[in-house]
Amino acid sequence: MLALLCDRSAYGAELLSAHPEILEEVLRPEMLRRRKDSRDLAEELAEGCPPDKPAPAQWLWLYVRAEELRYTIGELLGFSTRVEVESALTQLADAVLARLCGETGLLVVALGKYGGRELTPGSDLTFWSWSRKGPR
C-alpha cells in the first residue's frame, strides 16, 4: 500500500518522508474507512494539542496533513471517490477556519477550489476575510 501511495502521490510520499510519525495514525483500518462529519472534526480540533504533542500550531498542521493522507490512502484503496475526498477536505478546511476564527465575527468568503468545494490533498486555501473593521 505504501508503494502504491508513493507511486500515485508525490505529495503523499514527500509528506510521509518528512513526517513518518503520522503514518501510525492514518494506517489503522478503522481510521481509513471512517467518515468524519463536521461535529467529529470540531470535537477533535477542540481537544487541541495534547500535552505530549508538539506546539498547537505544529499539532494543527500535522492534524490537517494526517487527514489529507488518510483520505488519499482511502481513495487509493477504493474506500472513497475523488468527489468524496474533495468534499471531506473542504469540510476539514471549514472546521479548521471555524476553530481558528472562533467567535471573532470574521466573515470568510471561500474562493477558487475551496469555494468550489474541490480541495485536493496539498491544496492551498484562497479566501477573503472581513471583520467589523473592514477587509483584511
Side-chain angles (χ1 to χ4, degrees):
M1 194 251 327
L2 288 177
L4 179 63
L5 174 66
C6 292
D7 180 57
R8 301 270 175 92
S9 173
Y11 175 77
E14 289 173 22
L15 182 59
L16 276 180
S17 62
H19 297 282
E21 67 272 21
I22 64 177
L23 190 59
E24 180 182 336
E25 178 67 22
V26 300
L27 283 184
R28 296 182 312 172
E30 69 274 13
M31 292 304 292
L32 287 173
R33 295 177 188 266
R34 184 174 176 209
R35 299 283 186 263
K36 295 182 183 180
D37 61 20
S38 56
R39 187 176 1 170
D40 295 327
L41 293 168
E43 287 174 8
E44 289 178 1
L45 290 166
E47 290 174 9
C49 182
D52 62 334
K53 299 295 181 198
Q58 180 68 8
W59 178 88
L60 181 60
W61 189 91
L62 285 171
Y63 174 82
V64 170
R65 296 307 172 266
E67 287 296 297
E68 288 178 332
L69 191 60
R70 185 173 74 84
Y71 280 109
T72 299
I73 293 170
E75 182 184 5
L76 288 173
L77 294 176
F79 300 150
S80 303
T81 65
R82 170 58 57 175
V83 171
E84 290 171 329
V85 170
E86 291 172 351
S87 178
L89 291 177
T90 302
Q91 186 174 327
L92 174 63
D94 290 343
V96 169
L97 281 175
R99 179 69 183 161
L100 292 175
C101 295
E103 301 294 322
T104 62
L106 191 66
L107 171 68
V108 175
V109 178
L111 304 170
K113 283 186 172 186
Y114 182 32
R117 303 191 66 73
E118 300 172 338
L119 291 177
T120 56
S123 289
D124 58 349
L125 299 183
T126 305
F127 58 89
W128 285 341
S129 62
W130 283 269
S131 70
R132 292 186 179 125
K133 296 178 183 176
R136 290 188 176 187

